[in-house]
Amino acid sequence: MDFSEELFASGNIRLDAQLKFTAEIDRMTSVLRRTLLLDRSRCENDAEHSWHIAVMALLFEEYSLEKIDLHHAVEMLLVHDLIEIYAGDTFAYDTEGNKSKSERENAAAEKLFSMLPAEQGSRICSLWKEFDASVTADAKYANCLDKLQPFFHNMLTEGYTWRNAATPVTKVQVEKRMACIKEFMPQVYIWVDKSISLAVKQGWLS
Amino acid sequence: MDFSEELFASGNIRLDAQLKFTAEIDRMTSVLRRTLLLDRSRCENDAEHSWHIAVMALLFEEYSLEKIDLHHAVEMLLVHDLIEIYAGDTFAYDTEGNKSKSERENAAAEKLFSMLPAEQGSRICSLWKEFDASVTADAKYANCLDKLQPFFHNMLTEGYTWRNAATPVTKVQVEKRMACIKEFMPQVYIWVDKSISLAVKQGWLS
């Protein structure tokens, strides 16, 4: 977006940069995902998704097998999709799109996070990279929620995303995607597993 | 929303309650505020607003006069508007609506938070009450951001909310609303103060 410079002239260079970044990330509201909102009015956007899973993080910690630094996990969830402002949302089951994903996302991170004062930009960038690598316990927990929430939305919207994919989504694909939950939140996976069976029975998954 | 019970039958009563709550709070996406999104496509909803100010909390801590427990402040910001799912958004400058606000919000809190396992429900309810009382440093910081963000959006949308209010919003009203920032984040208030003057000059505030 292109705003008048007059609006970012506090006389404090750090603050002006932080305010510009704050304006820029409002664009998360126009990055649409494949997930339908539960009232089925439209597809969810990245801002809504990020908020939803951040609240979930406050509720589902008890199911993780490893101890979580909840604040760190929440911070990751709040910023994990910011790079999609420039890189777009890549559909989980889009094989072609996922080939160029990493390159597009790195360029987006460089462009976006360099708007901030250096140490803040690199802190947010580190959070995103940690989420993306999914190696630490906090990142695994965050990734589980990032996968659980759209799965949950699909179950509550008669498999909307799965049924509307260019190629029908299969049970095996979803099981593979949910494997992190099976490993890291096995009690939650009991529900996921039952739900996958229900989705197959209903014809939402092939 | 009314979902099939079959979808919440993990065999784990706690988990089922947490999943139902997760579904219910998706309704934050249909609680519309008076603030315009920065791309001016539509008004912002509570989910987007909550996400935006939670990210801001990660960036603006350095300006608060008191030491902040950032995690606690972020938790508050994530849940501070949940009760609006039942109580609706009350416009800041709506005198009549604000008279019944407290009663409506308490009833909404009781209804919503009782969906969760008791200790989680009362934890989230406490966060909301702490935010609402705005006495602790964390709550003051959270309240500053909750007021700074819509002000910022108004500045970037030519005073949209102010110009579209039933009664024109005045400079004095906005200054009163921003007083918490003047007190708690004075460096940020320098920008707010300049912006208010600009808004008056442009005719967005009377």
Side-chain angles (χ1 to χ4, degrees), chain B residues 16 21 45 78 80 190:
Chain B
D16 288 343
F21 181 84
N45 65 51
L78 289 173
H80 80 290
I190 294 171

Side-chain angles (χ1 to χ4, degrees), chain A residues 115-165:
Chain A
M115 289 179 71
L116 282 170
E119 91 288 357
Q120 284 194 329
S122 61
R123 199 169 84 81
I124 307 266
C125 190
S126 295
L127 287 166
W128 166 64
K129 283 187 175 163
E130 182 180 347
F131 174 87
D132 214 42
S134 196
V135 170
T136 63
D138 298 342
K140 283 182 187 171
Y141 179 56
N143 271 278
C144 283
L145 298 174
D146 188 47
K147 290 183 172 59
L148 181 62
Q149 189 255 8
F151 175 86
F152 185 56
H153 275 236
N154 272 318
M155 288 306 299
L156 297 180
T157 55
E158 294 162 7
Y160 178 84
T161 310
W162 302 324
R163 288 186 293 106
N164 289 280

